[in-house]
């Protein structure tokens, strides 16, 4: 009787081969990530630390004058205009964010339903988002103009404005922020709408079919299926929208220049004016860091609060 020979695998050779493949994969990943990391380091990390260095100096457009330590931060904390502009921005966020989320969600629900022309409506709703802030501002300056503007003309035609009465949308302190909110809503809601629409289309249709068999109406499906499934995405979009709204600058600067008076002057505009109009880059950089810390703290509390709701 012949005995079959059993060949023992070369475990050391196999282990070496696995290590080589792992090393090759890591080198390949590093080759792809390396250029991005270099750009991120040069254009993001280094400027942050350089900005921190600038904020500790009396620094003008010409260059460094002298080291002042934390004096710029102390001055900013005592600057009433800094806090007024931060409040103006916060007021805009409080008004605009709920409107943007609700409007975008409503449009996403409409586009997710089986209506005719959905593709055309998606293009129409999203199209303003591709326009530049300069184009958007230019359009709305004419739309909101008194006497000849589209909004006032429509209000006259439907009888909401009497003859000889005009609304000065951009010059009235009570209407200026409403105008900015309208402009921003029309311009930016398309992006949130697309994200929410993608989330709605990701909900399995089986859930709705099962609910229909159980006798659930449209409201019950929305309350017990749509909202729970979309809650995480809504939280994410809300946090991102709050941060984006706090950084509002372009449309305000081009449409109202922060007026009337300083009623619509945002924190970004005030930082810009401090640095490039008042020629105090050190102070404006200190304000930027304070604003940055404020946004980090705000985002942290948002995620902690909404995270509990999601759980």
């Amino acid at each position: 009787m012949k005995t079959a020979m059993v060949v023992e695998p070369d475990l050391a050779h196999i282990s070496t081969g696995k290590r080589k493949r792992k090393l090759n994969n890591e080198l390949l990943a590093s080759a792809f990530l390396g250029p991005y990391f270099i750009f991120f380091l040069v254009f993001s990390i280094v400027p942050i630390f350089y900005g921190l260095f600038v904020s500790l100096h009396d620094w003008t457009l010409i260059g460094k004058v002298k080291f002042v330590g934390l004096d710029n931060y102390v001055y900013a904390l005592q600057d009433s205009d800094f806090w007024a502009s931060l409040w103006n921005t916060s007021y805009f966020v409080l008004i605009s964010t709920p409107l943007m989320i609700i409007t975008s969600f409503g449009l996403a629900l409409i586009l997710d339903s089986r209506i005719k022309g959905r593709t055309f409506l998606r293009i129409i709703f999203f199209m303003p988002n591709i326009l530049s802030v300069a184009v958007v501002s230019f359009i709305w300056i004419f739309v909101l103009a008194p006497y000849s503007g589209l909004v006032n003309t429509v209000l006259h035609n439907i009888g909401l404005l009497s003859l000889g009465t005009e609304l000065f949308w951009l010059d009235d302190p009570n209407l200026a922020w409403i105008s900015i909110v309208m402009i921003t809503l029309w311009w930016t809601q398309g992006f949130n709408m697309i994200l929410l629409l993608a989330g709605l289309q990701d909900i399995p249709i089986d859930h709705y079919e099962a609910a229909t068999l159980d006798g659930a109406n449209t409201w019950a499906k929305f309350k017990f299926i749509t909202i729970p499934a979309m809650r995480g995405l809504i939280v994410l979009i809300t946090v991102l929208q709050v941060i984006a709204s706090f950084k509002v600058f372009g449309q305000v600067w081009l449409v109202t220049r922060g007026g009337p008076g300083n009623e619509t002057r945002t924190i970004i505009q005030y930082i810009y004016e401090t640095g490039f109009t008042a020629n105090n880059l050190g102070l404006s950089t200190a304000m930027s860091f304070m604003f940055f810390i404020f946004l980090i703290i705000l985002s942290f509390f948002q995620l902690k609060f909404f995270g509990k709701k999601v759980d």
Side-chain angles (χ1 to χ4, degrees):
M1 173 182 282
K2 295 182 178 180
T3 304
M5 296 181 63
V6 179
V7 179
E8 294 292 335
D10 190 350
L11 298 179
H13 180 71
I14 294 175
S15 177
T16 302
K18 288 183 177 180
R19 286 198 297 269
K20 287 183 177 179
R21 284 195 297 272
K22 182 179 179 181
L23 179 61
N24 289 335
N25 291 335
E26 290 177 350
L27 291 175
L28 183 61
S30 300
F32 281 105
L33 293 175
Y36 169 78
F37 178 77
I38 293 173
F39 273 90
F40 178 74
L41 181 67
V42 173
F43 294 103
S44 294
I45 302 301
V46 172
I48 289 175
F49 286 98
Y50 185 72
L52 182 61
F53 175 75
V54 172
S55 71
L56 300 176
H57 292 78
D58 182 5
W59 201 293
T60 67
L61 292 171
I62 299 175
K64 180 176 61 175
V65 178
K66 64 177 180 178
F67 178 78
V68 295
L70 298 177
D71 287 356
N72 286 327
Y73 292 90
V74 174
Y75 181 88
L77 289 172
Q78 298 173 348
D79 185 5
S80 59
D81 288 334
F82 174 80
W83 293 108
S85 60
L86 182 59
W87 162 246
N88 289 340
T89 311
S90 302
Y91 180 69
F92 169 77
V93 173
L94 291 172
I95 296 176
S96 64
T97 300
L99 280 175
M100 290 181 183
I101 300 300
I102 293 172
T103 302
S104 300
F105 196 25
L107 292 176
L109 288 171
I110 293 173
L111 296 178
D112 191 51
S113 61
R114 297 177 181 178
I115 61 172
K116 294 182 179 180
R118 286 180 298 174
T119 302
F120 176 74
L121 290 176
R122 290 176 188 177
I123 295 173
I124 293 299
F125 292 150
F126 185 76
M127 189 173 294
N129 198 258
I130 68 175
L131 300 176
S132 69
V133 64
V135 173
V136 171
S137 302
F138 183 78
I139 291 171
W140 277 90
I141 286 174
F142 283 96
V143 169
L144 296 174
Y147 305 107
S148 60
L150 176 63
V151 174
N152 279 4
T153 301
V154 171
L155 293 177
H156 278 298
N157 290 337
I158 63 179
L160 292 180
L161 278 181
S162 59
L163 187 64
T165 303
E166 293 293 327
L167 290 177
F168 294 86
W169 292 95
L170 304 179
D171 298 320
D172 188 332
N174 297 320
L175 298 176
W177 270 126
I178 296 176
S179 304
I180 298 299
V181 170
M182 283 195 301
I183 294 170
T184 308
L185 178 63
W186 178 81
W187 179 33
T188 64
Q189 54 78 28
F191 182 74
N192 291 339
M193 179 198 70
I194 292 298
L195 294 179
L196 291 166
L197 179 60
L200 288 171
Q201 294 178 341
D202 198 43
I203 301 175
I205 193 66
D206 298 348
H207 295 179
Y208 293 104
E209 293 175 351
T212 301
L213 293 176
D214 290 337
N217 56 25
T218 303
W219 170 248
K221 294 177 187 177
F222 177 76
K223 181 179 179 181
F224 296 107
I225 298 177
T226 305
I227 292 297
M230 294 290 292
R231 186 173 288 126
L233 180 59
I234 292 174
V235 168
L236 175 63
I237 292 176
T238 301
V239 173
L240 294 177
Q241 183 61 60
V242 167
I243 296 174
S245 295
F246 263 108
K247 295 189 296 181
V248 63
F249 171 67
Q251 62 270 41
V252 179
W253 176 254
L254 293 172
V255 173
T256 67
R257 294 283 175 174
N262 292 322
E263 292 295 323
T264 60
R265 183 169 65 180
T266 63
I267 184 65
I268 299 295
Q269 179 181 337
Y270 185 60
I271 291 172
Y272 164 79
E273 291 175 346
T274 301
F276 295 97
T277 303
N279 193 22
N280 195 337
L281 294 179
L283 178 59
S284 66
T285 306
M287 291 178 178
S288 299
F289 271 97
M290 292 172 61
F291 183 51
F292 173 66
I293 294 171
F294 170 78
L295 289 180
I296 290 178
I297 295 173
L298 180 64
S299 301
F300 172 78
F301 281 108
Q302 281 186 97
L303 292 174
K304 291 291 277 187
F305 176 75
F306 289 121
K308 294 179 181 179
K309 301 292 183 181
V310 174
D311 294 338

